[in-house]
Amino acid sequence: MLSFCFFSHFPAWKQLPISFSFPENSVTRYERRFEKIRASLPPGTRIGFYSDAADGSTDAIGRFYVAQYALVPAIVTAPEKSDWIIGDFSSKESLAATLQNKHWTLAGTMGSGLVLMKKTEGAS
Amino acid sequence: MSRDRNAGWIGRVVFLFFALLLANVILAFVLLTNNNPHGNWDAWAIWNMHARFLYRGGSHWTALFSPELAYSHPDYPLLLPGLVAGGWFFLGSEHWLVPAAIAFFFEIAVVGLLVSAVGFVRGTVQALLAGCVLLATSAFILQGPMQYADIPLAFFYLAALAALILHDSREDNSVFLLALSGLAAGLGLSTKNEGWAFAAALFFTRILFRKETIPWLIGLLFPALITLYFKVRLAPSNDLLSAATPAHLWQCAMDISRYRQIVATLFQDTIYPGAVFSAPVLIIYFLLVGKNSLDRKNSGAVTPLWGALGLTLTAYLISFLFTPYPLAWHLSTSLDRLLMQLWPSVLLLYFITVERP
């Protein structure tokens, strides 16, 4: 039984990360970018969120959820449910294309690819 | 522990293995927490996010019940988020170390409780063996640092059963241990919805085996009433229950492939080589050493508890049968965590049931 115990925990080690960037990880880094926005949002505010990750991808869902995690106690919604939208873009070209396609206007930039956008008349 | 007659060289070897495996679990916890200080996906999408609503929200904390946050299961009880938020209030800052420390506490507490409960009834060597099997379980090593509610729930299940076993093995028939067991079951249902299935199963088996239940119910009452109030007055309806229309239930119940898929995944997680739960070793060990024949009193005490765990597992599997989500996805993302909730309790009952080496 003891030798079985010794060998049976090996599968777990395959999944262990051997790195020391303590305590930096993707969630920590990602949510740090939202600190300024969070400070300016009154509790209970509803604000849309849009990222340029592929629709329905794990990356898009993950970014949305981390944005919500970072912005508590504000409520992050789908972009169609709010006039104001926080955007998370990986490039200026991607931002420009989105503003044009969605008929949104840029209301402010917050650094690290984060922007604040507002819907124009007739925008979705 | 002093009653153990096997403590000798076997005891020293088992203790050495136990210490190595414990060190391994602690090291794994540090490495995984280093990589994910906020825990894994469900930790920051559910548990720690709810804690943030409690800590940051002030009078707006109830915003966590908003329909937009349905993905975060706002109907989940608030014991764990409450503990995390309580730690932040105590520290005066929202430090990532608080949920990590709570996760670490429960992981180590499960080991400590299992070893001390088995040790009290069956001696040191048997207790350390139980601890070794738990510490060598891949699912246990990996799930502790995730900061999910499954390990805390496993602790409350284990505490409920351990208190009942200790009660039944004592001569004075103290009601305190019965009430403590009820309290632990109540804290379980205040931790995760699955706790209701466990508490109901434990209650049912106590009635079936004509065991004393009143002190147990008194212990259960306080946390159960608070959680019931939360469920009725604050929380939105549960996603699984909301989808349970008669047509959906009938369609799922008649679909044989769903049964096959559930059983196959259950085997995959428990029996197959490389499974995250080491069930085969328990079967082989039982065939080698046999059932405990001397300690009939304790063996008899665990029979209803095996029944309670069996009923709880059945309830879990039925919930998969009727899930409105894609079955393969639901099984792959949660069956191992649900099994982890029961695993320390299974080891407790197993090492009381089998003969000593």
Side-chain angles (χ1 to χ4, degrees), chain B residues 314-337:
Chain B
T314 306
Y316 286 2
L317 298 181
I318 289 173
S319 74
F320 283 111
L321 181 65
F322 296 119
T323 179
Y325 301 111
L327 183 56
W329 171 82
H330 204 177
L331 284 166
S332 69
T333 54
S334 56
L335 182 61
D336 60 338
R337 290 187 290 106

mmCIF file with all atom_site columns, all heavy atoms in Angstrom, chain B residues 314-337:
data_model
loop_
_atom_site.group_PDB
_atom_site.id
_atom_site.type_symbol
_atom_site.label_atom_id
_atom_site.label_alt_id
_atom_site.label_comp_id
_atom_site.label_asym_id
_atom_site.label_entity_id
_atom_site.label_seq_id
_atom_site.pdbx_PDB_ins_code
_atom_site.Cartn_x
_atom_site.Cartn_y
_atom_site.Cartn_z
_atom_site.occupancy
_atom_site.B_iso_or_equiv
_atom_site.pdbx_formal_charge
_atom_site.auth_seq_id
_atom_site.auth_comp_id
_atom_site.auth_asym_id
_atom_site.auth_atom_id
_atom_site.pdbx_PDB_model_num
ATOM 1   N N   . THR B 1 314 ? -25.116 8.580  -4.696  1.00 0.00 ? 314 THR B N   1
ATOM 2   C CA  . THR B 1 314 ? -26.240 8.345  -5.619  1.00 0.00 ? 314 THR B CA  1
ATOM 3   C C   . THR B 1 314 ? -26.913 9.667  -5.991  1.00 0.00 ? 314 THR B C   1
ATOM 4   O O   . THR B 1 314 ? -27.231 9.910  -7.167  1.00 0.00 ? 314 THR B O   1
ATOM 5   C CB  . THR B 1 314 ? -27.265 7.397  -4.969  1.00 0.00 ? 314 THR B CB  1
ATOM 6   O OG1 . THR B 1 314 ? -26.584 6.219  -4.543  1.00 0.00 ? 314 THR B OG1 1
ATOM 7   C CG2 . THR B 1 314 ? -28.367 7.015  -5.938  1.00 0.00 ? 314 THR B CG2 1
ATOM 8   N N   . ALA B 1 315 ? -27.107 10.527 -4.986  1.00 0.00 ? 315 ALA B N   1
ATOM 9   C CA  . ALA B 1 315 ? -27.726 11.839 -5.262  1.00 0.00 ? 315 ALA B CA  1
ATOM 10  C C   . ALA B 1 315 ? -26.860 12.646 -6.224  1.00 0.00 ? 315 ALA B C   1
ATOM 11  O O   . ALA B 1 315 ? -27.366 13.301 -7.147  1.00 0.00 ? 315 ALA B O   1
ATOM 12  C CB  . ALA B 1 315 ? -27.926 12.609 -3.960  1.00 0.00 ? 315 ALA B CB  1
ATOM 13  N N   . TYR B 1 316 ? -25.538 12.585 -6.032  1.00 0.00 ? 316 TYR B N   1
ATOM 14  C CA  . TYR B 1 316 ? -24.626 13.309 -6.935  1.00 0.00 ? 316 TYR B CA  1
ATOM 15  C C   . TYR B 1 316 ? -24.784 12.797 -8.373  1.00 0.00 ? 316 TYR B C   1
ATOM 16  O O   . TYR B 1 316 ? -24.859 13.574 -9.319  1.00 0.00 ? 316 TYR B O   1
ATOM 17  C CB  . TYR B 1 316 ? -23.177 13.089 -6.516  1.00 0.00 ? 316 TYR B CB  1
ATOM 18  C CG  . TYR B 1 316 ? -22.726 13.831 -5.273  1.00 0.00 ? 316 TYR B CG  1
ATOM 19  C CD1 . TYR B 1 316 ? -23.601 14.622 -4.535  1.00 0.00 ? 316 TYR B CD1 1
ATOM 20  C CD2 . TYR B 1 316 ? -21.416 13.746 -4.839  1.00 0.00 ? 316 TYR B CD2 1
ATOM 21  C CE1 . TYR B 1 316 ? -23.174 15.291 -3.407  1.00 0.00 ? 316 TYR B CE1 1
ATOM 22  C CE2 . TYR B 1 316 ? -20.981 14.413 -3.708  1.00 0.00 ? 316 TYR B CE2 1
ATOM 23  C CZ  . TYR B 1 316 ? -21.858 15.182 -2.991  1.00 0.00 ? 316 TYR B CZ  1
ATOM 24  O OH  . TYR B 1 316 ? -21.436 15.837 -1.885  1.00 0.00 ? 316 TYR B OH  1
ATOM 25  N N   . LEU B 1 317 ? -24.807 11.460 -8.504  1.00 0.00 ? 317 LEU B N   1
ATOM 26  C CA  . LEU B 1 317 ? -24.871 10.885 -9.853  1.00 0.00 ? 317 LEU B CA  1
ATOM 27  C C   . LEU B 1 317 ? -26.212 11.196 -10.509 1.00 0.00 ? 317 LEU B C   1
ATOM 28  O O   . LEU B 1 317 ? -26.281 11.439 -11.722 1.00 0.00 ? 317 LEU B O   1
ATOM 29  C CB  . LEU B 1 317 ? -24.628 9.373  -9.794  1.00 0.00 ? 317 LEU B CB  1
ATOM 30  C CG  . LEU B 1 317 ? -23.234 8.964  -9.261  1.00 0.00 ? 317 LEU B CG  1
ATOM 31  C CD1 . LEU B 1 317 ? -23.076 7.448  -9.259  1.00 0.00 ? 317 LEU B CD1 1
ATOM 32  C CD2 . LEU B 1 317 ? -22.113 9.613  -10.069 1.00 0.00 ? 317 LEU B CD2 1
ATOM 33  N N   . ILE B 1 318 ? -27.279 11.227 -9.696  1.00 0.00 ? 318 ILE B N   1
ATOM 34  C CA  . ILE B 1 318 ? -28.598 11.575 -10.252 1.00 0.00 ? 318 ILE B CA  1
ATOM 35  C C   . ILE B 1 318 ? -28.599 13.023 -10.748 1.00 0.00 ? 318 ILE B C   1
ATOM 36  O O   . ILE B 1 318 ? -29.187 13.344 -11.787 1.00 0.00 ? 318 ILE B O   1
ATOM 37  C CB  . ILE B 1 318 ? -29.707 11.339 -9.195  1.00 0.00 ? 318 ILE B CB  1
ATOM 38  C CG1 . ILE B 1 318 ? -29.903 9.834  -8.995  1.00 0.00 ? 318 ILE B CG1 1
ATOM 39  C CG2 . ILE B 1 318 ? -31.021 12.006 -9.604  1.00 0.00 ? 318 ILE B CG2 1
ATOM 40  C CD1 . ILE B 1 318 ? -30.842 9.468  -7.860  1.00 0.00 ? 318 ILE B CD1 1
ATOM 41  N N   . SER B 1 319 ? -27.905 13.898 -10.024 1.00 0.00 ? 319 SER B N   1
ATOM 42  C CA  . SER B 1 319 ? -27.858 15.302 -10.465 1.00 0.00 ? 319 SER B CA  1
ATOM 43  C C   . SER B 1 319 ? -27.171 15.407 -11.835 1.00 0.00 ? 319 SER B C   1
ATOM 44  O O   . SER B 1 319 ? -27.520 16.256 -12.650 1.00 0.00 ? 319 SER B O   1
ATOM 45  C CB  . SER B 1 319 ? -27.161 16.178 -9.434  1.00 0.00 ? 319 SER B CB  1
ATOM 46  O OG  . SER B 1 319 ? -25.772 15.946 -9.450  1.00 0.00 ? 319 SER B OG  1
ATOM 47  N N   . PHE B 1 320 ? -26.193 14.545 -12.080 1.00 0.00 ? 320 PHE B N   1
ATOM 48  C CA  . PHE B 1 320 ? -25.557 14.525 -13.413 1.00 0.00 ? 320 PHE B CA  1
ATOM 49  C C   . PHE B 1 320 ? -26.522 13.986 -14.462 1.00 0.00 ? 320 PHE B C   1
ATOM 50  O O   . PHE B 1 320 ? -26.556 14.476 -15.591 1.00 0.00 ? 320 PHE B O   1
ATOM 51  C CB  . PHE B 1 320 ? -24.291 13.668 -13.399 1.00 0.00 ? 320 PHE B CB  1
ATOM 52  C CG  . PHE B 1 320 ? -23.117 14.355 -12.761 1.00 0.00 ? 320 PHE B CG  1
ATOM 53  C CD1 . PHE B 1 320 ? -22.613 13.923 -11.553 1.00 0.00 ? 320 PHE B CD1 1
ATOM 54  C CD2 . PHE B 1 320 ? -22.528 15.457 -13.368 1.00 0.00 ? 320 PHE B CD2 1
ATOM 55  C CE1 . PHE B 1 320 ? -21.536 14.556 -10.958 1.00 0.00 ? 320 PHE B CE1 1
ATOM 56  C CE2 . PHE B 1 320 ? -21.454 16.102 -12.777 1.00 0.00 ? 320 PHE B CE2 1
ATOM 57  C CZ  . PHE B 1 320 ? -20.951 15.650 -11.569 1.00 0.00 ? 320 PHE B CZ  1
ATOM 58  N N   . LEU B 1 321 ? -27.286 12.982 -14.075 1.00 0.00 ? 321 LEU B N   1
ATOM 59  C CA  . LEU B 1 321 ? -28.226 12.389 -15.022 1.00 0.00 ? 321 LEU B CA  1
ATOM 60  C C   . LEU B 1 321 ? -29.176 13.451 -15.574 1.00 0.00 ? 321 LEU B C   1
ATOM 61  O O   . LEU B 1 321 ? -29.510 13.454 -16.760 1.00 0.00 ? 321 LEU B O   1
ATOM 62  C CB  . LEU B 1 321 ? -29.013 11.264 -14.333 1.00 0.00 ? 321 LEU B CB  1
ATOM 63  C CG  . LEU B 1 321 ? -30.035 10.521 -15.181 1.00 0.00 ? 321 LEU B CG  1
ATOM 64  C CD1 . LEU B 1 321 ? -29.365 9.747  -16.307 1.00 0.00 ? 321 LEU B CD1 1
ATOM 65  C CD2 . LEU B 1 321 ? -30.870 9.576  -14.325 1.00 0.00 ? 321 LEU B CD2 1
ATOM 66  N N   . PHE B 1 322 ? -29.601 14.365 -14.685 1.00 0.00 ? 322 PHE B N   1
ATOM 67  C CA  . PHE B 1 322 ? -30.618 15.357 -15.083 1.00 0.00 ? 322 PHE B CA  1
ATOM 68  C C   . PHE B 1 322 ? -30.037 16.740 -15.386 1.00 0.00 ? 322 PHE B C   1
ATOM 69  O O   . PHE B 1 322 ? -30.783 17.703 -15.503 1.00 0.00 ? 322 PHE B O   1
ATOM 70  C CB  . PHE B 1 322 ? -31.673 15.468 -13.983 1.00 0.00 ? 322 PHE B CB  1
ATOM 71  C CG  . PHE B 1 322 ? -32.446 14.185 -13.781 1.00 0.00 ? 322 PHE B CG  1
ATOM 72  C CD1 . PHE B 1 322 ? -32.423 13.529 -12.565 1.00 0.00 ? 322 PHE B CD1 1
ATOM 73  C CD2 . PHE B 1 322 ? -33.180 13.640 -14.819 1.00 0.00 ? 322 PHE B CD2 1
ATOM 74  C CE1 . PHE B 1 322 ? -33.123 12.341 -12.382 1.00 0.00 ? 322 PHE B CE1 1
ATOM 75  C CE2 . PHE B 1 322 ? -33.882 12.454 -14.650 1.00 0.00 ? 322 PHE B CE2 1
ATOM 76  C CZ  . PHE B 1 322 ? -33.846 11.802 -13.437 1.00 0.00 ? 322 PHE B CZ  1
ATOM 77  N N   . THR B 1 323 ? -28.714 16.829 -15.469 1.00 0.00 ? 323 THR B N   1
ATOM 78  C CA  . THR B 1 323 ? -28.135 18.161 -15.692 1.00 0.00 ? 323 THR B CA  1
ATOM 79  C C   . THR B 1 323 ? -28.608 18.768 -17.020 1.00 0.00 ? 323 THR B C   1
ATOM 80  O O   . THR B 1 323 ? -28.685 18.072 -18.035 1.00 0.00 ? 323 THR B O   1
ATOM 81  C CB  . THR B 1 323 ? -26.585 18.095 -15.672 1.00 0.00 ? 323 THR B CB  1
ATOM 82  O OG1 . THR B 1 323 ? -26.087 19.417 -15.920 1.00 0.00 ? 323 THR B OG1 1
ATOM 83  C CG2 . THR B 1 323 ? -26.034 17.160 -16.732 1.00 0.00 ? 323 THR B CG2 1
ATOM 84  N N   . PRO B 1 324 ? -28.904 20.070 -17.020 1.00 0.00 ? 324 PRO B N   1
ATOM 85  C CA  . PRO B 1 324 ? -29.280 20.719 -18.290 1.00 0.00 ? 324 PRO B CA  1
ATOM 86  C C   . PRO B 1 324 ? -28.055 21.059 -19.140 1.00 0.00 ? 324 PRO B C   1
ATOM 87  O O   . PRO B 1 324 ? -28.200 21.440 -20.289 1.00 0.00 ? 324 PRO B O   1
ATOM 88  C CB  . PRO B 1 324 ? -29.972 22.002 -17.817 1.00 0.00 ? 324 PRO B CB  1
ATOM 89  C CG  . PRO B 1 324 ? -29.389 22.287 -16.476 1.00 0.00 ? 324 PRO B CG  1
ATOM 90  C CD  . PRO B 1 324 ? -29.006 20.968 -15.873 1.00 0.00 ? 324 PRO B CD  1
ATOM 91  N N   . TYR B 1 325 ? -26.856 20.933 -18.568 1.00 0.00 ? 325 TYR B N   1
ATOM 92  C CA  . TYR B 1 325 ? -25.628 21.255 -19.300 1.00 0.00 ? 325 TYR B CA  1
ATOM 93  C C   . TYR B 1 325 ? -25.174 20.039 -20.107 1.00 0.00 ? 325 TYR B C   1
ATOM 94  O O   . TYR B 1 325 ? -25.584 18.909 -19.816 1.00 0.00 ? 325 TYR B O   1
ATOM 95  C CB  . TYR B 1 325 ? -24.534 21.678 -18.320 1.00 0.00 ? 325 TYR B CB  1
ATOM 96  C CG  . TYR B 1 325 ? -24.919 22.878 -17.499 1.00 0.00 ? 325 TYR B CG  1
ATOM 97  C CD1 . TYR B 1 325 ? -25.164 22.768 -16.140 1.00 0.00 ? 325 TYR B CD1 1
ATOM 98  C CD2 . TYR B 1 325 ? -25.072 24.125 -18.104 1.00 0.00 ? 325 TYR B CD2 1
ATOM 99  C CE1 . TYR B 1 325 ? -25.549 23.867 -15.390 1.00 0.00 ? 325 TYR B CE1 1
ATOM 100 C CE2 . TYR B 1 325 ? -25.455 25.232 -17.358 1.00 0.00 ? 325 TYR B CE2 1
ATOM 101 C CZ  . TYR B 1 325 ? -25.692 25.100 -16.004 1.00 0.00 ? 325 TYR B CZ  1
ATOM 102 O OH  . TYR B 1 325 ? -26.086 26.179 -15.269 1.00 0.00 ? 325 TYR B OH  1
ATOM 103 N N   . PRO B 1 326 ? -24.284 20.249 -21.083 1.00 0.00 ? 326 PRO B N   1
ATOM 104 C CA  . PRO B 1 326 ? -23.731 19.099 -21.811 1.00 0.00 ? 326 PRO B CA  1
ATOM 105 C C   . PRO B 1 326 ? -23.091 18.130 -20.810 1.00 0.00 ? 326 PRO B C   1
ATOM 106 O O   . PRO B 1 326 ? -22.227 18.528 -20.018 1.00 0.00 ? 326 PRO B O   1
ATOM 107 C CB  . PRO B 1 326 ? -22.686 19.731 -22.736 1.00 0.00 ? 326 PRO B CB  1
ATOM 108 C CG  . PRO B 1 326 ? -23.117 21.154 -22.892 1.00 0.00 ? 326 PRO B CG  1
ATOM 109 C CD  . PRO B 1 326 ? -23.777 21.538 -21.601 1.00 0.00 ? 326 PRO B CD  1
ATOM 110 N N   . LEU B 1 327 ? -23.524 16.876 -20.855 1.00 0.00 ? 327 LEU B N   1
ATOM 111 C CA  . LEU B 1 327 ? -23.145 15.918 -19.813 1.00 0.00 ? 327 LEU B CA  1
ATOM 112 C C   . LEU B 1 327 ? -21.633 15.710 -19.734 1.00 0.00 ? 327 LEU B C   1
ATOM 113 O O   . LEU B 1 327 ? -21.053 15.690 -18.646 1.00 0.00 ? 327 LEU B O   1
ATOM 114 C CB  . LEU B 1 327 ? -23.867 14.589 -20.042 1.00 0.00 ? 327 LEU B CB  1
ATOM 115 C CG  . LEU B 1 327 ? -23.630 13.508 -18.996 1.00 0.00 ? 327 LEU B CG  1
ATOM 116 C CD1 . LEU B 1 327 ? -23.976 13.987 -17.591 1.00 0.00 ? 327 LEU B CD1 1
ATOM 117 C CD2 . LEU B 1 327 ? -24.428 12.251 -19.332 1.00 0.00 ? 327 LEU B CD2 1
ATOM 118 N N   . ALA B 1 328 ? -20.988 15.549 -20.914 1.00 0.00 ? 328 ALA B N   1
ATOM 119 C CA  . ALA B 1 328 ? -19.537 15.292 -20.911 1.00 0.00 ? 328 ALA B CA  1
ATOM 120 C C   . ALA B 1 328 ? -18.788 16.450 -20.255 1.00 0.00 ? 328 ALA B C   1
ATOM 121 O O   . ALA B 1 328 ? -17.873 16.250 -19.453 1.00 0.00 ? 328 ALA B O   1
ATOM 122 C CB  . ALA B 1 328 ? -19.049 15.086 -22.343 1.00 0.00 ? 328 ALA B CB  1
ATOM 123 N N   . TRP B 1 329 ? -19.194 17.684 -20.590 1.00 0.00 ? 329 TRP B N   1
ATOM 124 C CA  . TRP B 1 329 ? -18.545 18.861 -20.017 1.00 0.00 ? 329 TRP B CA  1
ATOM 125 C C   . TRP B 1 329 ? -18.792 18.914 -18.504 1.00 0.00 ? 329 TRP B C   1
ATOM 126 O O   . TRP B 1 329 ? -17.863 19.144 -17.724 1.00 0.00 ? 329 TRP B O   1
ATOM 127 C CB  . TRP B 1 329 ? -19.104 20.131 -20.676 1.00 0.00 ? 329 TRP B CB  1
ATOM 128 C CG  . TRP B 1 329 ? -18.646 21.390 -19.987 1.00 0.00 ? 329 TRP B CG  1
ATOM 129 C CD1 . TRP B 1 329 ? -17.451 22.032 -20.173 1.00 0.00 ? 329 TRP B CD1 1
ATOM 130 C CD2 . TRP B 1 329 ? -19.340 22.116 -18.975 1.00 0.00 ? 329 TRP B CD2 1
ATOM 131 N NE1 . TRP B 1 329 ? -17.371 23.116 -19.348 1.00 0.00 ? 329 TRP B NE1 1
ATOM 132 C CE2 . TRP B 1 329 ? -18.511 23.201 -18.606 1.00 0.00 ? 329 TRP B CE2 1
ATOM 133 C CE3 . TRP B 1 329 ? -20.580 21.985 -18.345 1.00 0.00 ? 329 TRP B CE3 1
ATOM 134 C CZ2 . TRP B 1 329 ? -18.890 24.138 -17.631 1.00 0.00 ? 329 TRP B CZ2 1
ATOM 135 C CZ3 . TRP B 1 329 ? -20.956 22.903 -17.375 1.00 0.00 ? 329 TRP B CZ3 1
ATOM 136 C CH2 . TRP B 1 329 ? -20.120 23.975 -17.025 1.00 0.00 ? 329 TRP B CH2 1
ATOM 137 N N   . HIS B 1 330 ? -20.032 18.660 -18.096 1.00 0.00 ? 330 HIS B N   1
ATOM 138 C CA  . HIS B 1 330 ? -20.366 18.752 -16.674 1.00 0.00 ? 330 HIS B CA  1
ATOM 139 C C   . HIS B 1 330 ? -19.604 17.709 -15.856 1.00 0.00 ? 330 HIS B C   1
ATOM 140 O O   . HIS B 1 330 ? -19.072 17.993 -14.783 1.00 0.00 ? 330 HIS B O   1
ATOM 141 C CB  . HIS B 1 330 ? -21.883 18.588 -16.483 1.00 0.00 ? 330 HIS B CB  1
ATOM 142 C CG  . HIS B 1 330 ? -22.383 19.205 -15.218 1.00 0.00 ? 330 HIS B CG  1
ATOM 143 N ND1 . HIS B 1 330 ? -23.706 19.242 -14.873 1.00 0.00 ? 330 HIS B ND1 1
ATOM 144 C CD2 . HIS B 1 330 ? -21.736 19.803 -14.199 1.00 0.00 ? 330 HIS B CD2 1
ATOM 145 C CE1 . HIS B 1 330 ? -23.841 19.842 -13.706 1.00 0.00 ? 330 HIS B CE1 1
ATOM 146 N NE2 . HIS B 1 330 ? -22.668 20.180 -13.281 1.00 0.00 ? 330 HIS B NE2 1
ATOM 147 N N   . LEU B 1 331 ? -19.528 16.483 -16.409 1.00 0.00 ? 331 LEU B N   1
ATOM 148 C CA  . LEU B 1 331 ? -18.802 15.414 -15.708 1.00 0.00 ? 331 LEU B CA  1
ATOM 149 C C   . LEU B 1 331 ? -17.310 15.734 -15.629 1.00 0.00 ? 331 LEU B C   1
ATOM 150 O O   . LEU B 1 331 ? -16.690 15.579 -14.565 1.00 0.00 ? 331 LEU B O   1
ATOM 151 C CB  . LEU B 1 331 ? -18.994 14.077 -16.435 1.00 0.00 ? 331 LEU B CB  1
ATOM 152 C CG  . LEU B 1 331 ? -20.347 13.384 -16.253 1.00 0.00 ? 331 LEU B CG  1
ATOM 153 C CD1 . LEU B 1 331 ? -20.519 12.272 -17.277 1.00 0.00 ? 331 LEU B CD1 1
ATOM 154 C CD2 . LEU B 1 331 ? -20.485 12.818 -14.842 1.00 0.00 ? 331 LEU B CD2 1
ATOM 155 N N   . SER B 1 332 ? -16.763 16.213 -16.741 1.00 0.00 ? 332 SER B N   1
ATOM 156 C CA  . SER B 1 332 ? -15.315 16.441 -16.758 1.00 0.00 ? 332 SER B CA  1
ATOM 157 C C   . SER B 1 332 ? -14.904 17.602 -15.874 1.00 0.00 ? 332 SER B C   1
ATOM 158 O O   . SER B 1 332 ? -13.782 17.661 -15.401 1.00 0.00 ? 332 SER B O   1
ATOM 159 C CB  . SER B 1 332 ? -14.828 16.675 -18.192 1.00 0.00 ? 332 SER B CB  1
ATOM 160 O OG  . SER B 1 332 ? -15.310 17.915 -18.649 1.00 0.00 ? 332 SER B OG  1
ATOM 161 N N   . THR B 1 333 ? -15.820 18.539 -15.653 1.00 0.00 ? 333 THR B N   1
ATOM 162 C CA  . THR B 1 333 ? -15.441 19.702 -14.844 1.00 0.00 ? 333 THR B CA  1
ATOM 163 C C   . THR B 1 333 ? -15.801 19.559 -13.370 1.00 0.00 ? 333 THR B C   1
ATOM 164 O O   . THR B 1 333 ? -15.321 20.336 -12.552 1.00 0.00 ? 333 THR B O   1
ATOM 165 C CB  . THR B 1 333 ? -16.107 20.994 -15.366 1.00 0.00 ? 333 THR B CB  1
ATOM 166 O OG1 . THR B 1 333 ? -17.524 20.781 -15.444 1.00 0.00 ? 333 THR B OG1 1
ATOM 167 C CG2 . THR B 1 333 ? -15.570 21.395 -16.726 1.00 0.00 ? 333 THR B CG2 1
ATOM 168 N N   . SER B 1 334 ? -16.641 18.577 -13.024 1.00 0.00 ? 334 SER B N   1
ATOM 169 C CA  . SER B 1 334 ? -17.038 18.561 -11.611 1.00 0.00 ? 334 SER B CA  1
ATOM 170 C C   . SER B 1 334 ? -17.086 17.201 -10.913 1.00 0.00 ? 334 SER B C   1
ATOM 171 O O   . SER B 1 334 ? -17.082 17.173 -9.684  1.00 0.00 ? 334 SER B O   1
ATOM 172 C CB  . SER B 1 334 ? -18.393 19.266 -11.438 1.00 0.00 ? 334 SER B CB  1
ATOM 173 O OG  . SER B 1 334 ? -19.352 18.683 -12.258 1.00 0.00 ? 334 SER B OG  1
ATOM 174 N N   . LEU B 1 335 ? -17.096 16.087 -11.651 1.00 0.00 ? 335 LEU B N   1
ATOM 175 C CA  . LEU B 1 335 ? -17.230 14.807 -10.937 1.00 0.00 ? 335 LEU B CA  1
ATOM 176 C C   . LEU B 1 335 ? -16.057 14.553 -9.984  1.00 0.00 ? 335 LEU B C   1
ATOM 177 O O   . LEU B 1 335 ? -16.259 14.122 -8.852  1.00 0.00 ? 335 LEU B O   1
ATOM 178 C CB  . LEU B 1 335 ? -17.376 13.642 -11.924 1.00 0.00 ? 335 LEU B CB  1
ATOM 179 C CG  . LEU B 1 335 ? -17.558 12.279 -11.241 1.00 0.00 ? 335 LEU B CG  1
ATOM 180 C CD1 . LEU B 1 335 ? -18.820 12.238 -10.388 1.00 0.00 ? 335 LEU B CD1 1
ATOM 181 C CD2 . LEU B 1 335 ? -17.578 11.140 -12.250 1.00 0.00 ? 335 LEU B CD2 1
ATOM 182 N N   . ASP B 1 336 ? -14.836 14.863 -10.431 1.00 0.00 ? 336 ASP B N   1
ATOM 183 C CA  . ASP B 1 336 ? -13.687 14.610 -9.551  1.00 0.00 ? 336 ASP B CA  1
ATOM 184 C C   . ASP B 1 336 ? -13.762 15.452 -8.279  1.00 0.00 ? 336 ASP B C   1
ATOM 185 O O   . ASP B 1 336 ? -13.363 15.014 -7.197  1.00 0.00 ? 336 ASP B O   1
ATOM 186 C CB  . ASP B 1 336 ? -12.363 14.829 -10.299 1.00 0.00 ? 336 ASP B CB  1
ATOM 187 C CG  . ASP B 1 336 ? -12.204 16.236 -10.832 1.00 0.00 ? 336 ASP B CG  1
ATOM 188 O OD1 . ASP B 1 336 ? -13.224 16.922 -11.005 1.00 0.00 ? 336 ASP B OD1 1
ATOM 189 O OD2 . ASP B 1 336 ? -11.057 16.660 -11.063 1.00 0.00 ? 336 ASP B OD2 1
ATOM 190 N N   . ARG B 1 337 ? -14.311 16.652 -8.389  1.00 0.00 ? 337 ARG B N   1
ATOM 191 C CA  . ARG B 1 337 ? -14.440 17.505 -7.189  1.00 0.00 ? 337 ARG B CA  1
ATOM 192 C C   . ARG B 1 337 ? -15.513 16.956 -6.242  1.00 0.00 ? 337 ARG B C   1
ATOM 193 O O   . ARG B 1 337 ? -15.364 16.993 -5.021  1.00 0.00 ? 337 ARG B O   1
ATOM 194 C CB  . ARG B 1 337 ? -14.759 18.945 -7.581  1.00 0.00 ? 337 ARG B CB  1
ATOM 195 C CG  . ARG B 1 337 ? -13.578 19.636 -8.257  1.00 0.00 ? 337 ARG B CG  1
ATOM 196 C CD  . ARG B 1 337 ? -13.779 21.092 -8.504  1.00 0.00 ? 337 ARG B CD  1
ATOM 197 N NE  . ARG B 1 337 ? -14.756 21.371 -9.533  1.00 0.00 ? 337 ARG B NE  1
ATOM 198 C CZ  . ARG B 1 337 ? -15.977 21.839 -9.296  1.00 0.00 ? 337 ARG B CZ  1
ATOM 199 N NH1 . ARG B 1 337 ? -16.353 22.102 -8.071  1.00 0.00 ? 337 ARG B NH1 1
ATOM 200 N NH2 . ARG B 1 337 ? -16.807 22.053 -10.287 1.00 0.00 ? 337 ARG B NH2 1
#
